[in-house]
Every structure is written in structure tokens, then in C-alpha cells.
Amino acid sequence: MNKIIKIGITKLNNQEIKSVDEIKVVKGKGILGDRHYQDYNDPYNQLTIIEKESIDQYNIKFNLSIPYLAFRRNIVCEGIRLNNLVGRKISINKIDLEVIDLCRPCKHLQENLSQPNIIKEFLRSGGIRCEILNSGTIKLGDAIEN
């Protein structure tokens, strides 16, 4: 069974992502208290999810121990292949999400982590971007249903 193992937000860009036990998501706006939350928010900025397994594989390959939230995604999950969900609707604790695209790594992340290979290594495994279709709460331990 898949589940959410980490949730993180930050109020301002370029600040450390803080671990939380739950988040409140608002349709069309994003995650309450997160840096990207705003009225009429671009769906690409509303919610991001990454696989624990991708981060683990990277850490093993390069003998590192970069924490999950350092990859700056809102949700870290385990036990589900996210790339297969692009273009589909999923739900987490009765929150409906539309998976609109892969969440590709950026130069900022690469510089933040001081790892010159982040973009190359996470180009196809950097997670997904989701549009929030209804409001509610997402908690640690919730499953992703598709």
C-alpha cells in the first residue's frame, strides 16, 4: 500500500521547507500557509509530490543522505509510481487532484543542494505537479488513490 511519509511547506521562497503533519489545501489556490498559495493560482504551483524511492535511489547512488524535504516538494510518498499518473485524476483523503505534469528539477534546487547532477538525475523522477480540484485536509499516512 502507498502512503504519504512527509509533508512540507514554507511561507517564503528560498526558505527551508518545514515538516508538518497535515496541510489544508484550497481549490484553485494551493496549500494554506505555503509560499505558492494565492488567489487564482497557476495549477503548476498548487501541489507537488515526489517518490521516496527516487530520493533513496539518488542518495544510494551518490553515497549521500539528503533529507526528503530538501528536494522542495510538498508531499513525499512511498509505494506508488507517480509518472504513470500524469494526465489522470487522483485523490488523497477525498481531495481530488489532477496530475498535470512532471515536476522537473531546476537550477535553483541543484545549487541549493550543491549537487551538479540534480537536473540530469531527476529529469524524469522529480515528482509531479497537481491542480487542487476541491478543498480539504491531507495528512501523514494518507494514501494516493487513482
Side-chain angles (χ1 to χ4, degrees):
M1 180 177 138
N2 76 73
K3 67 180 178 180
I4 294 171
I5 63 159
K6 288 279 186 190
I7 301 174
I9 60 171
T10 185
K11 290 183 187 257
L12 298 172
N13 285 326
N14 302 320
Q15 286 189 338
E16 180 183 350
I17 303 291
K18 301 290 184 189
S19 182
V20 295
D21 293 336
E22 67 180 40
I23 50 176
K24 298 201 182 311
V25 298
V26 180
K27 176 184 177 180
K29 295 184 179 186
I31 302 167
L32 198 59
D34 187 59
R35 66 202 182 277
H36 294 298
Y37 182 87
Q38 61 181 329
D39 288 338
Y40 313 108
N41 196 353
D42 183 333
Y44 280 76
N45 293 327
Q46 293 180 18
L47 179 79
T48 57
I49 308 172
I50 192 169
E51 298 169 24
K52 165 196 179 293
E53 293 85 354
S54 293
I55 297 170
D56 289 346
Q57 181 180 347
Y58 180 81
N59 278 332
I60 290 167
K61 181 175 181 179
F62 294 100
N63 196 30
L64 299 168
S65 57
I66 300 172
Y68 297 129
L69 292 180
F71 284 84
R72 307 192 65 76
R73 303 300 183 251
N74 302 118
I75 293 175
V76 180
C77 67
E78 70 177 348
I80 187 168
R81 295 287 305 150
L82 298 175
N83 286 16
N84 300 335
L85 303 176
V86 174
R88 296 173 57 187
K89 289 186 180 173
I90 61 173
S91 63
I92 304 173
N93 193 24
K94 300 181 183 172
I95 306 300
D96 296 320
L97 306 167
E98 182 155 355
V99 182
I100 55 175
D101 201 3
L102 295 179
C103 192
R104 293 168 186 85
C106 62
K107 187 175 180 183
H108 174 72
L109 177 65
Q110 188 165 275
E111 290 169 354
N112 247 10
L113 297 177
S114 300
Q115 297 299 316
N117 57 10
I118 289 285
I119 292 174
K120 177 184 173 217
E121 293 292 328
F122 281 90
L123 190 59
R124 304 283 304 155
S125 62
I128 55 175
R129 295 182 178 277
C130 302
E131 179 178 6
I132 301 166
L133 302 178
N134 63 302
S135 303
T137 303
I138 295 174
K139 302 175 190 168
L140 286 176
D142 285 346
I144 298 172
E145 301 173 27
N146 57 35

